[in-house]
Amino acid sequence: MSEGQIRDCKAVLQSMSLIVKQLDDVIRKLDEADIKEMLTKIVSADRIFVMGAGRSGFVGKAFAMRLMHLGFTVYVVGETTTPAVKEEDVVIAISGSGETRSISNLGKIVKDIGSTLITVTSKENSTLGRLADTTVILPSKTKTDHDSGGDLERSMRGDYTRNLPPLGTSFEITALVFLDSVIAQLIAITGASEAELKSRHTNVE
Amino acid sequence: MSEGQIRDCKAVLQSMSLIVKQLDDVIRKLDEADIKEMLTKIVSADRIFVMGAGRSGFVGKAFAMRLMHLGFTVYVVGETTTPAVKEEDVVIAISGSGETRSISNLGKIVKDIGSTLITVTSKENSTLGRLADTTVILPSKTKTDHDSGGDLERSMRGDYTRNLPPLGTSFEITALVFLDSVIAQLIAITGASEAELKSRHTNVE
Amino acid sequence: MSEGQIRDCKAVLQSMSLIVKQLDDVIRKLDEADIKEMLTKIVSADRIFVMGAGRSGFVGKAFAMRLMHLGFTVYVVGETTTPAVKEEDVVIAISGSGETRSISNLGKIVKDIGSTLITVTSKENSTLGRLADTTVILPSKTKTDHDSGGDLERSMRGDYTRNLPPLGTSFEITALVFLDSVIAQLIAITGASEAELKSRHTNVE
Amino acid sequence: MSEGQIRDCKAVLQSMSLIVKQLDDVIRKLDEADIKEMLTKIVSADRIFVMGAGRSGFVGKAFAMRLMHLGFTVYVVGETTTPAVKEEDVVIAISGSGETRSISNLGKIVKDIGSTLITVTSKENSTLGRLADTTVILPSKTKTDHDSGGDLERSMRGDYTRNLPPLGTSFEITALVFLDSVIAQLIAITGASEAELKSRHTNVE
């Protein structure tokens, strides 16, 4: 990379403001019935499995860790001691495009087993969206919105792959904000005390 | 968990709004000089190493993956083929408290090697904050602010461990928004084209 | 599990002896031409990618780590900063059955890209065996051999899944012994000195 | 790397034979009382945690996966949904040198919690060996034995770091053979049927 001194960091702050503005827009577009259904399925689940590839996978792991703190029996698909999924389990798939090959393949297996599949995605009409029992749509700016943007947005070239929506509206950021808010409501529902939550946080790190 | 039907998902939407509001506050409190220094060090780096534990580790991995798409030589500390850190390398530590034991220990080793350490944290006056050559502070609400909050915030019990700031102001969310915005500026600086970015995205998943 | 005191550990020692005996048998059944071809492809490779699922994946990672110590440019498929595979790259798949679904799917993608695929497996006539440019067969005891075994072997029920050959002849053990021996020859070929190897071993752990 | 054609693969086969010979030696040097103690603690454990760094970590994960197949409640330290270790838990540390910094630090924490620590190592008189309630020693060839070796052994430069014993006697290979044999005995003890084992193997991969 070039050795040049960076003149300023204005684009960092502008980009953060843009993300905040777009997050604010997303909240108004959420379908409350779908979220309620997702919460009901999580609270009733015997065991929860979380899966996602790439950056969506990291968001899924951040969510799974908090579910564990809350006392849920939760596993990340692909980790060492994750057991076989059974019919009565709930599997949560995180995928911006809803088309990530490996996760779509696993989604089909999950439905063949007869388990409950919840998809968190930006595309309702996608493979994982259609497979799921419950789909929560986290809308991203559309390609057209993006193209009408100014220099900043153009410079982001955010939608550079099918899996990575425009940076200004990063699916992964929206998903993390949404899933952490799901955790907030689950804390309220379960009435988990601070001491209980603390007692489950890893003490060997 | 209880089998009960969830009545509504108001707390999810309220929590999302709260997060957006607090992100907006954070932007105004950022130190531009520190961010400029971080950008300069990243752009000049021969090789970049990213490290973090738990949820901060996932955010670090999401950042590292994008740096790779941009063409940087970047490694995640602890992954299989990550080589030895050398004096001329830049190591970026992500830690909300700045005190995570394993990451602090690694930070000391990094400084013993003579490498450049950048810390992204919410606590300037912390072990990792003091060790670093450059520290970017992402302010979180203080405990006092938190306690003055309403029912929602109290129900979140967000600061249930030293490492997990109040959910409403989750350090991890702020860090992901900040680091994705750093990526946006790096795309602008390097002039990376969409085709270049796409060509580096994993094609075996 | 039962609280009972264990009477002895004879079965542990007997099982170890059985594994040693079977490893000894395997050596005599190896195809030297295939191994030579694998070595030639590794030494000529620009970049090496290693992939495997479950326990074979762990063996692959142990191999990839040593290749890194030797100075090869090597990545594990699925890790955070692993770039896109290109035509000139060599991909090594580890799979006992040669049929592991996710790895077979990736093997097809690798061949579509036009990269070189090396499969290490116990089954030549398997999906990954047929896809590969070079296949190294590490023979395991057959089902019939297994059934003719004594009490110890029966008690092992080692071939309890398609992916896990009889414990006494664990594919993963054979693969680790084989791949560590490949490393030994690569050390000899490249003339790597102890100091060079040491200098690449992670210093941040 | 050099483009040269590899003349033969004799060193691969010789190295495999050497490993087999040394494994055979190790079996005769094992302390049966320690292994019996380890088995008793595993069978009585409420929950088992496995930890290791680098290649020893991969061996630990391979062991943990099989314990899960057997129906044990088992976690890998550092994975996403691994809960806090409690006094009544058993923690198994895998470390060739017994001195791996991160694992030694965790071993101290484990003993502070009051949990049971089992160390599998090649060095009894090491930090992790001294900390443990039970230590199983898997002897490696000594430095002197190594130096008296022929060309093959010298070319291996196997003991190139403190953590990586001579390749010919790789601690990781010995540990994998030992731990898979522990699994064989546990299958016998628990009387697990093939169907039970199969039913727990991951079905989403």
Side-chain angles (χ1 to χ4, degrees):
Chain A
M1 291 286 149
S2 103
E3 292 282 332
Q5 170 83 14
I6 306 296
R7 268 190 311 266
D8 61 57
C9 63
K10 293 292 176 226
V12 175
L13 302 182
Q14 282 178 279
S15 174
M16 290 181 79
S17 291
L18 190 66
I19 292 170
V20 166
K21 198 172 148 295
Q22 292 172 345
L23 278 173
D24 207 36
D25 287 349
V26 165
I27 300 172
R28 274 184 291 278
K29 293 177 186 161
L30 295 176
D31 185 311
E32 296 194 27
D34 291 338
I35 300 175
K36 215 181 105 183
E37 206 175 295
M38 178 179 177
L39 283 165
T40 302
K41 282 178 175 153
I42 288 177
V43 170
S44 316
D46 200 38
R47 306 190 303 176
I48 299 165
F49 291 70
V50 178
M51 64 185 187
R55 287 170 42 105
S56 291
F58 300 139
V59 169
K61 287 180 174 182
F63 180 53
M65 189 177 277
R66 286 248 158 122
L67 286 176
M68 180 270 285
H69 293 158
L70 267 165
F72 288 91
T73 301
V74 55
Y75 302 99
V76 172
V77 170
E79 293 206 337
T80 305
T81 58
T82 299
V85 172
K86 293 183 185 159
E87 208 178 325
E88 61 270 26
D89 293 327
V90 169
V91 181
I92 303 174
I94 322 281
S95 171
S97 68
E99 301 293 349
T100 319
R101 197 171 351 200
S102 57
I103 304 303
S104 301
N105 289 342
L106 297 182
K108 283 166 204 155
I109 296 171
V110 163
K111 287 314 303 171
D112 286 347
I113 293 166
S115 318
T116 301
L117 179 65
I118 299 173
T119 293
V120 177
T121 181
S122 69
K123 302 282 174 218
E124 182 159 26
N125 193 21
S126 60
T127 304
L128 280 162
R130 283 187 302 268
L131 276 170
D133 299 281
T134 300
T135 302
V136 174
I137 308 296
L138 303 178
S140 291
K141 294 205 82 170
T142 65
K143 195 85 161 65
T144 318
D145 293 344
H146 176 68
D147 285 341
S148 68
D151 276 354
L152 175 64
E153 278 190 78
R154 272 197 295 277
S155 75
M156 287 188 196
R157 298 176 189 75
D159 55 345
Y160 57 94
T161 80
R162 219 169 24 101
N163 295 327
L164 298 175
L167 274 171
T169 54
S170 162
F171 169 75
E172 296 90 38
I173 291 173
T174 311
L176 184 58
V177 169
F178 167 67
L179 293 169
D180 269 8
S181 298
V182 165
I183 294 291
Q185 178 139 6
L186 290 173
I187 292 177
I189 292 169
T190 60
S193 72
E194 191 177 328
E196 284 171 304
L197 295 167
K198 236 181 199 162
S199 73
R200 296 192 194 94
H201 192 273
T202 187
N203 51 3
V204 185
E205 79 170 0
Chain B
M1 289 290 148
S2 103
E3 293 282 330
Q5 171 83 13
I6 306 296
R7 269 190 309 268
D8 62 58
C9 63
K10 294 292 176 225
V12 175
L13 302 182
Q14 281 177 281
S15 173
M16 290 182 79
S17 290
L18 189 66
I19 292 170
V20 166
K21 198 173 147 293
Q22 291 172 346
L23 278 173
D24 207 37
D25 287 348
V26 166
I27 300 173
R28 273 183 292 277
K29 293 179 186 159
L30 295 176
D31 184 313
E32 297 193 27
D34 290 338
I35 300 175
K36 213 181 108 185
E37 206 175 295
M38 178 179 178
L39 282 164
T40 302
K41 282 177 175 154
I42 288 176
V43 170
S44 316
D46 201 37
R47 305 189 305 175
I48 299 165
F49 291 71
V50 178
M51 64 186 188
R55 286 168 45 103
S56 291
F58 300 139
V59 169
K61 287 180 174 182
F63 180 54
M65 188 177 277
R66 286 247 159 122
L67 286 176
M68 180 271 285
H69 293 158
L70 268 165
F72 288 90
T73 301
V74 55
Y75 301 98
V76 172
V77 171
E79 293 206 338
T80 305
T81 58
T82 298
V85 172
K86 293 185 185 157
E87 206 178 326
E88 60 271 26
D89 294 326
V90 169
V91 181
I92 302 174
I94 322 280
S95 170
S97 67
E99 302 291 350
T100 319
R101 196 170 352 198
S102 57
I103 304 302
S104 301
N105 289 343
L106 297 181
K108 282 167 204 155
I109 296 172
V110 163
K111 288 314 303 170
D112 286 347
I113 293 166
S115 319
T116 300
L117 179 66
I118 298 172
T119 293
V120 177
T121 181
S122 69
K123 301 281 175 218
E124 183 159 25
N125 194 21
S126 60
T127 304
L128 279 162
R130 283 187 303 266
L131 276 170
D133 299 281
T134 300
T135 301
V136 174
I137 309 295
L138 303 178
S140 291
K141 294 204 80 168
T142 64
K143 195 82 159 67
T144 318
D145 293 344
H146 176 68
D147 286 341
S148 69
D151 276 354
L152 176 66
E153 278 190 80
R154 271 197 295 277
S155 74
M156 286 188 197
R157 299 176 188 76
D159 55 344
Y160 58 92
T161 81
R162 216 167 28 100
N163 294 328
L164 297 174
L167 273 170
T169 53
S170 160
F171 169 75
E172 296 92 37
I173 291 173
T174 311
L176 184 57
V177 169
F178 168 67
L179 293 169
D180 268 9
S181 298
V182 166
I183 293 291
Q185 179 140 1
L186 290 172
I187 292 177
I189 291 168
T190 60
S193 73
E194 191 177 327
E196 285 172 303
L197 295 167
K198 236 180 198 162
S199 74
R200 296 192 195 95
H201 191 275
T202 186
N203 51 3
V204 185
E205 78 170 0
Chain C
M1 290 289 149
S2 103
E3 293 282 331
Q5 171 83 12
I6 305 297
R7 269 189 311 266
D8 61 58
C9 63
K10 293 292 175 226
V12 175
L13 302 181
Q14 281 177 281
S15 174
M16 290 182 80
S17 291
L18 189 66
I19 292 170
V20 166
K21 198 171 147 295
Q22 292 172 344
L23 278 173
D24 208 35
D25 287 348
V26 166
I27 300 172
R28 273 185 291 278
K29 293 177 187 161
L30 295 176
D31 185 312
E32 297 193 26
D34 290 338
I35 300 175
K36 213 181 108 184
E37 208 176 294
M38 178 178 177
L39 282 164
T40 302
K41 282 177 176 153
I42 288 176
V43 170
S44 315
D46 200 38
R47 306 190 302 176
I48 299 166
F49 291 70
V50 179
M51 63 185 189
R55 287 170 43 104
S56 292
F58 300 139
V59 170
K61 287 179 174 183
F63 181 53
M65 189 177 276
R66 286 247 160 122
L67 286 176
M68 180 271 286
H69 293 159
L70 267 165
F72 288 91
T73 301
V74 56
Y75 302 98
V76 172
V77 171
E79 293 206 337
T80 305
T81 59
T82 299
V85 172
K86 294 183 184 159
E87 207 177 326
E88 61 271 25
D89 294 327
V90 170
V91 181
I92 303 174
I94 322 281
S95 170
S97 67
E99 301 293 349
T100 319
R101 198 171 348 199
S102 57
I103 304 303
S104 301
N105 288 343
L106 296 181
K108 283 167 203 154
I109 295 172
V110 162
K111 287 315 302 171
D112 285 347
I113 293 166
S115 319
T116 301
L117 178 66
I118 299 172
T119 294
V120 178
T121 180
S122 69
K123 301 283 174 217
E124 182 159 27
N125 194 22
S126 60
T127 304
L128 279 161
R130 283 188 302 267
L131 276 171
D133 299 281
T134 300
T135 302
V136 174
I137 309 295
L138 304 178
S140 292
K141 296 204 79 168
T142 64
K143 193 83 162 65
T144 319
D145 293 345
H146 176 69
D147 287 340
S148 68
D151 277 353
L152 175 65
E153 277 189 80
R154 272 197 294 278
S155 74
M156 286 186 196
R157 299 175 188 75
D159 56 343
Y160 57 94
T161 80
R162 217 168 25 99
N163 295 327
L164 298 175
L167 274 170
T169 54
S170 162
F171 169 75
E172 296 92 36
I173 291 173
T174 311
L176 183 58
V177 169
F178 168 67
L179 293 170
D180 268 8
S181 298
V182 165
I183 293 290
Q185 179 139 5
L186 289 173
I187 292 177
I189 291 168
T190 60
S193 72
E194 190 176 330
E196 284 171 305
L197 295 167
K198 236 180 198 162
S199 74
R200 296 193 194 93
H201 191 273
T202 188
N203 52 2
V204 184
E205 79 171 359
Chain D
M1 290 288 149
S2 103
E3 293 281 330
Q5 171 80 16
I6 306 296
R7 269 191 309 268
D8 62 57
C9 63
K10 293 292 175 225
V12 175
L13 302 182
Q14 281 176 281
S15 173
M16 290 182 79
S17 291
L18 189 66
I19 291 170
V20 166
K21 199 172 146 295
Q22 292 172 345
L23 278 173
D24 208 35
D25 288 349
V26 165
I27 300 172
R28 273 184 292 277
K29 293 178 187 160
L30 295 176
D31 184 312
E32 297 193 27
D34 290 338
I35 299 174
K36 215 181 106 185
E37 206 175 295
M38 178 179 178
L39 282 165
T40 302
K41 283 179 174 152
I42 288 176
V43 170
S44 316
D46 199 37
R47 306 189 304 176
I48 299 166
F49 291 71
V50 179
M51 64 186 188
R55 286 168 45 102
S56 291
F58 301 138
V59 169
K61 287 179 173 183
F63 180 54
M65 189 177 277
R66 286 248 158 121
L67 286 176
M68 180 270 286
H69 294 158
L70 268 165
F72 288 90
T73 301
V74 55
Y75 301 98
V76 173
V77 170
E79 293 206 338
T80 305
T81 57
T82 299
V85 172
K86 293 185 184 156
E87 206 177 327
E88 60 271 26
D89 294 325
V90 169
V91 180
I92 303 174
I94 322 281
S95 171
S97 66
E99 301 292 349
T100 319
R101 195 169 352 196
S102 57
I103 304 303
S104 302
N105 289 343
L106 296 181
K108 282 167 205 156
I109 296 172
V110 163
K111 288 314 304 170
D112 286 347
I113 293 167
S115 318
T116 300
L117 179 66
I118 299 173
T119 293
V120 177
T121 181
S122 69
K123 302 283 174 216
E124 182 159 25
N125 194 21
S126 60
T127 304
L128 279 162
R130 283 187 302 266
L131 276 171
D133 299 280
T134 300
T135 301
V136 174
I137 309 295
L138 303 178
S140 292
K141 295 205 77 168
T142 63
K143 194 83 161 64
T144 319
D145 293 343
H146 175 69
D147 286 341
S148 68
D151 277 352
L152 176 65
E153 276 190 81
R154 271 196 293 278
S155 75
M156 286 187 198
R157 299 177 186 76
D159 56 343
Y160 57 95
T161 80
R162 217 168 25 102
N163 295 328
L164 298 174
L167 274 170
T169 53
S170 161
F171 169 75
E172 296 91 39
I173 292 172
T174 311
L176 183 57
V177 169
F178 168 67
L179 293 170
D180 269 9
S181 298
V182 166
I183 293 290
Q185 178 138 5
L186 290 173
I187 292 177
I189 290 168
T190 60
S193 74
E194 192 177 328
E196 285 171 304
L197 296 167
K198 237 181 197 161
S199 74
R200 296 192 196 96
H201 191 274
T202 186
N203 52 2
V204 185
E205 78 170 1

